[in-house]
């Protein structure tokens, strides 16, 4: 407890402002890294990320001491954002086609960040789409059940089957660098396969 009405050292509002500023810097760096790596590949320099974020290179290194640290943080940030998006889909109970939107989004995120995943694999960190989908299983279960009740997805499709199909497609898209038209074609075939026969 403070004595004589003097607040404890380091406990003032200034510290909160510093922490808020640090959080903003971290978010800006991750956003910049995602954009730079998507445009230039994961071999792009950390300096380019700092310039895009509008911060000093030292600020980047304070948050992410090494390039692999930055790459892993980008992946975790992508997953966090995907979780937020799918949670919003779950909350929108009237969106009976949200399952298809979710599959399309996972494919797009996988393809856009292929360079990041490939560079991480070089460091010994392998990113598997199936692992990410496993974390999203509760939300996937809800979206699938809702789609089945609405009749937009075949009733005998199991969550494990959907996850396996989507993970396999996205992983292949990453490995073989599918073009956008080919990715869309594969999604169309997936959607045709999981729809009820009358809707195919």
């Amino acid at each position: 407890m403070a004595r004589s009405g003097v607040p404890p050292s380091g406990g003032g509002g200034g510290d909160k402002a510093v922490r808020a500023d640090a959080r903003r810097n971290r978010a800006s760096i991750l956003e910049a890294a995602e954009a730079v790596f998507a445009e230039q590949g994961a071999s792009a320099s950390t300096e380019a990320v700092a310039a895009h974020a509008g911060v000093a290179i030292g600020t980047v290194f304070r948050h992410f001491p090494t390039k692999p640290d930055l790459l892993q943080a980008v992946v975790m940030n992508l997953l966090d954002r995907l979780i937020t998006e799918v949670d919003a889909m779950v909350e929108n109970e009237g969106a009976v086609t949200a399952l298809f939107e979710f599959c399309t989004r996972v494919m797009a995120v996988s393809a856009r960040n292929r360079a990041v995943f490939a560079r991480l694999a070089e460091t010994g960190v392998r990113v598997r789409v199936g692992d990410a989908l496993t974390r999203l299983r509760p939300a996937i279960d809800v979206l699938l059940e809702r789609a089945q009740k609405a009749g937009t997805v075949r009733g005998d499709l199991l969550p494990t089957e959907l996850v396996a199909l989507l993970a396999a497609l996205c992983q292949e898209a990453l490995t073989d660098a599918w073009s956008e038209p080919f990715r869309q074609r594969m999604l169309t075939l997936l959607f045709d396969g999981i729809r009820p026969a009358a809707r195919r």
Side-chain angles (χ1 to χ4, degrees):
M1 179 177 290
R3 289 175 293 180
S4 303
V6 179
S9 176
D15 285 344
K16 291 183 180 180
V18 170
R19 288 195 295 270
D21 188 55
R23 285 194 297 272
R24 283 193 296 271
N25 282 341
R26 188 178 191 279
S28 296
I29 292 167
L30 288 175
E31 182 180 350
E34 183 180 343
V36 169
F37 293 150
E39 179 181 345
Q40 303 178 24
S43 60
S45 69
T46 309
E47 287 80 2
V49 173
H52 194 285
V55 300
I57 187 65
T59 302
V60 176
F61 286 133
R62 276 197 297 275
H63 289 279
F64 311 104
T66 68
K67 183 75 166 289
D69 290 334
L70 178 57
L71 291 169
Q72 290 188 54
V74 168
V75 172
M76 293 307 299
N77 190 54
L78 288 169
L79 181 55
D80 289 343
R81 198 160 69 233
L82 192 58
I83 290 172
T84 299
E85 291 175 4
V86 73
D87 284 346
M89 293 178 186
V90 168
E91 291 176 4
N92 185 5
E93 297 182 7
V96 296
T97 61
L99 183 67
F100 298 101
E101 297 168 13
F102 168 74
C103 293
T104 301
R105 179 62 177 149
V106 172
M107 176 68 86
V109 169
S110 300
R112 175 178 169 81
N113 295 279
R114 177 179 180 272
V116 172
F117 300 150
R119 187 61 182 271
L120 272 176
E122 295 173 4
T123 70
V125 178
R126 180 170 169 77
V127 177
R128 293 175 53 85
V129 178
D131 294 338
L133 292 178
T134 297
R135 286 189 57 183
L136 296 170
R137 264 298 299 275
I140 293 173
D141 290 350
V142 172
L143 295 181
L144 176 57
E145 180 181 7
R146 185 178 296 161
Q148 288 173 326
K149 287 181 177 178
T152 59
V153 171
R154 56 193 296 168
D156 62 343
L157 180 64
L158 299 175
T160 51
E161 295 170 337
L162 176 61
V163 167
L165 287 169
L166 182 58
L169 281 180
C170 291
Q171 202 68 53
E172 281 300 305
L174 285 174
T175 303
D176 294 340
W178 289 353
S179 66
E180 183 175 355
F182 194 74
R183 292 197 305 269
Q184 293 304 317
R185 170 66 176 165
M186 292 298 101
L187 282 173
T188 297
L189 292 173
L190 171 64
F191 295 161
D192 285 348
I194 67 176
R195 286 190 177 100
R199 296 199 174 200
R200 294 177 202 169

